[in-house]
Amino acid sequence: MTGPSTPPGPDDPLAALAEVAATLSTLAGTEWHGLPGQAVHDALDLLEQSARRLEAARSAVLTAAEANGLWALHGSRTFAAWLRARTGSTAAAAARQVREARALRDHLPVTRAALGAGRLGAQHTTVLVRETTRTARLRSQLADPEVGERFLVEQAQEMDAGTFTSLVQAWAVAADPEGADRAWREADGKEELTLSPTTGGWQVRGWLDDVSGQVVSTALGAHAGRKGAEDERTPAQRRAAALVSLAHQSLDAGAQRTAARIRPHLTVTVSLELLRALAAATGSAVPAHGPGLSAGPLGLPAQLALSAPGGPQDPARPQAPGSVAAGGPVEVGPEASSWVERWRTGDDHVISTALDPASLRGLAPATLEDGTPVAPALLARLACESQLSRVVFGPDSTVLDAGRDKRIFPANQVRAIIARDRHCQWPGCDEPPGFGEVHHSLWWALHRGRTDVEHGVLLCWHHHDWVHARQVTITRSSGRWWFHDRNGRQVTAPGPGP
């Protein structure tokens, strides 16, 4: 579009807007990388000033469009609905624009002038509209010559939008405490949390008031802990893990519904056949050459490997010093069982999470309470640090026997493991025992080996999930834990920063 040859005057605002639109269209194709650094900064300042002035003009145009009533000829139910259809915005965005335009016209003349002069940002304007026009008392306070609208606009020019929000909220509580109390009661009644099962997981939606949101945010931050150098999760992923960690701690403490017949917890139903097959499909605890290996670098046995199905580690695949073969599950045989019987506390052994999925084919999967099937690797993870309850069925699902719950590690051994490890043993992690679980070998239980504190390692919930999901192999040797990924690379703590 080509603008007029002479600059349009104030009597022709539409032509002036057409010229602005044409100029902006030209600027959209500008290669800004070719400008010097300071020129780019200056361009950013000019764009911000232009955006503020355009926002003020847009607000004035909206009020004029609403007043002339032509929008109703299109059959729209409300002006906001017409604006949404006209601009293609969401219903919430259109309603907010209409609400702000009305407030600037009726209650905030100083704010409107500051926005049009480029002295006030759009976010500051939104805060003023939302917080200062909710009640009649607040609107009357805006006229105060000392601490009214003019005072707030002056403060807005000295603060970022976040800090300014806190100031305006404090101003509103002081100006209308009754209104603040009423708003709190109304917000408290609106709090909600929805958990909806969907394909492959659960969707979480909700809303909390300011105080409740701060409480939950603080709790999630405490459970998320410090971000490690090798932690590539997004903040949203870390918050999700923290929420699950918070739930784990609450349920494990057993403090809720203490008088209930069964305290609330996660229940997984698994057949004895599947549990035995899962243990048999798990990587062996037997080092490649048995206890008493020659020491390699850092005290790690010179060559540790897991036996593959059908026989020992293939000698044609040399292992690097200090490494552990990715390996796999073992065939259950008398040699392995006799090794378990000969094993003594202090001897080397391996805690493997490697699974042979082929040996689990055809078996009905374990299920959650609602019938959701559980993947084998997840079942192995849940079997760690769980209570096992035996239920024997006869014909027609008749319950013949219901044994008592039994933990793989009794309380006294868990205390011993905590006293020895003190914190999560994943390299570089120092989460305390209150956030941890004991990780152990299912293979060992298959061979009826005696329960020994040597067979358990303290891991935080995050790293307990990690070792099962990533098939990490953990070796106990020379009184230390050694971690290797599925490719045999040793996991080490991240080095110090610069």
Side-chain angles (χ1 to χ4, degrees):
M1 177 182 295
T2 303
S5 57
T6 59
D11 294 334
D12 194 3
L14 193 60
L17 280 176
E19 185 172 343
V20 169
T23 302
L24 291 176
S25 179
T26 302
L27 289 175
T30 301
E31 179 53 57
W32 301 102
H33 290 283
L35 293 180
Q38 186 57 47
V40 173
H41 295 179
D42 293 340
L44 184 61
D45 293 339
L46 289 171
L47 285 171
E48 176 64 23
Q49 291 293 314
S50 300
R52 294 178 178 184
R53 290 177 168 87
L54 285 172
E55 186 64 31
R58 178 187 180 88
S59 174
V61 169
L62 282 178
T63 57
E66 182 180 22
N68 67 32
L70 292 178
W71 58 269
L73 300 179
H74 296 270
S76 299
R77 188 170 57 87
T78 64
F79 179 63
W82 173 84
L83 180 62
R84 177 182 62 82
R86 182 83 176 190
T87 62
S89 63
T90 64
R96 178 184 58 80
Q97 291 172 6
V98 173
R99 184 170 57 251
E100 290 185 4
R102 292 171 180 170
L104 290 174
R105 177 194 62 193
D106 299 335
H107 308 297
L108 297 168
V110 179
T111 303
R112 183 178 70 245
L115 182 63
R119 293 184 287 109
L120 199 65
Q123 289 182 321
H124 294 78
T125 302
T126 298
V127 171
L128 283 167
V129 170
R130 184 181 67 239
E131 302 293 342
T132 68
T133 62
R134 286 184 285 108
T135 67
R137 186 181 296 272
L138 289 176
R139 292 192 292 270
S140 65
Q141 183 66 26
L142 288 171
D144 188 288
E146 295 184 1
V147 288
E149 182 190 6
R150 192 171 299 279
F151 163 78
L152 293 175
V153 170
E154 290 174 354
Q155 296 301 312
Q157 297 175 64
E158 304 295 330
M159 301 178 180
D160 62 79
T163 306
F164 182 64
T165 299
S166 300
L167 174 91
V168 177
Q169 289 175 339
W171 177 91
V173 172
D176 186 10
E178 295 87 356
D181 288 345
R182 185 168 57 253
W184 171 71
R185 287 191 295 269
E186 293 173 353
D188 183 63
K190 295 178 181 177
E191 287 190 324
E192 61 180 13
L193 180 66
T194 304
L195 288 171
S196 305
T198 184
T199 304
W202 290 68
Q203 186 177 41
V204 183
R205 299 187 304 272
W207 187 87
L208 301 173
D209 66 20
D210 291 334
V211 175
S212 298
Q214 189 65 49
V215 169
V216 173
S217 178
T218 301
L220 293 181
H223 277 258
R226 296 188 301 274
K227 182 177 174 64
E230 296 181 354
D231 191 347
E232 298 180 353
R233 294 175 299 168
T234 64
Q237 290 173 326
R238 286 169 52 79
R239 282 193 295 272
L243 178 61
V244 176
S245 171
L246 190 65
H248 270 295
Q249 188 180 50
S250 174
L251 294 176
D252 290 343
Q256 309 300 322
R257 293 170 56 188
T258 55
R261 293 180 178 178
I262 300 178
R263 294 186 184 182
H265 217 304
L266 179 68
T267 300
V268 180
T269 303
V270 54
S271 67
L272 180 61
E273 179 186 18
L274 177 59
L275 197 59
R276 285 175 171 169
L278 184 70
T282 305
S284 170
V286 184
H289 302 290
L293 302 177
S294 59
L298 303 178
L300 185 66
Q303 191 176 26
L304 281 178
L306 303 179
S307 298
Q313 177 68 32
D314 183 358
R317 293 183 58 191
Q319 298 297 311
S323 69
V324 177
V330 298
E331 294 283 351
V332 179
E335 182 179 352
S337 298
S338 63
W339 181 87
V340 171
E341 296 172 358
R342 296 195 311 270
W343 187 90
R344 295 293 179 268
T345 299
D347 291 344
D348 299 332
H349 63 279
V350 176
I351 301 178
S352 172
T353 56
L355 285 175
D356 178 17
S359 61
L360 301 174
R361 289 177 186 153
L363 296 177
T367 59
L368 301 179
E369 292 177 270
D370 61 356
T372 302
V374 178
L378 176 57
L379 178 61
R381 162 65 179 93
L382 295 174
C384 277
E385 190 62 8
S386 297
Q387 288 184 327
L388 302 179
S389 181
R390 182 185 72 250
V391 180
V392 179
F393 292 96
D396 301 323
S397 299
T398 303
V399 178
L400 302 180
D401 178 60
R404 299 185 63 182
D405 289 348
K406 182 178 180 181
R407 299 192 72 89
I408 295 176
F409 282 98
N412 64 314
Q413 290 191 335
V414 171
R415 285 194 292 268
I417 293 172
I418 290 175
R420 180 198 65 203
D421 291 345
R422 297 181 179 272
H423 57 80
C424 174
Q425 293 299 289
W426 181 269
C429 183
D430 58 0
E431 286 292 334
F435 295 91
E437 297 175 331
V438 176
H439 174 59
H440 60 83
S441 173
L442 288 177
W443 184 94
W444 193 274
L446 176 69
H447 293 274
R448 302 181 184 276
R450 65 185 182 278
T451 303
D452 192 291
V453 296
E454 292 272 336
H455 307 147
V457 53
L458 186 64
L459 297 175
C460 67
W461 286 312
H462 168 63
H463 287 122
H464 198 173
D465 286 342
W466 188 272
V467 298
H468 279 279
R470 304 305 194 277
Q471 295 188 2
V472 174
T473 298
I474 307 174
T475 304
R476 182 73 177 175
S477 178
S478 303
R480 291 186 58 184
W481 295 109
W482 307 88
F483 292 73
H484 292 79
D485 63 21
R486 70 178 68 188
N487 297 315
R489 292 188 296 265
Q490 182 176 333
V491 178
T492 58

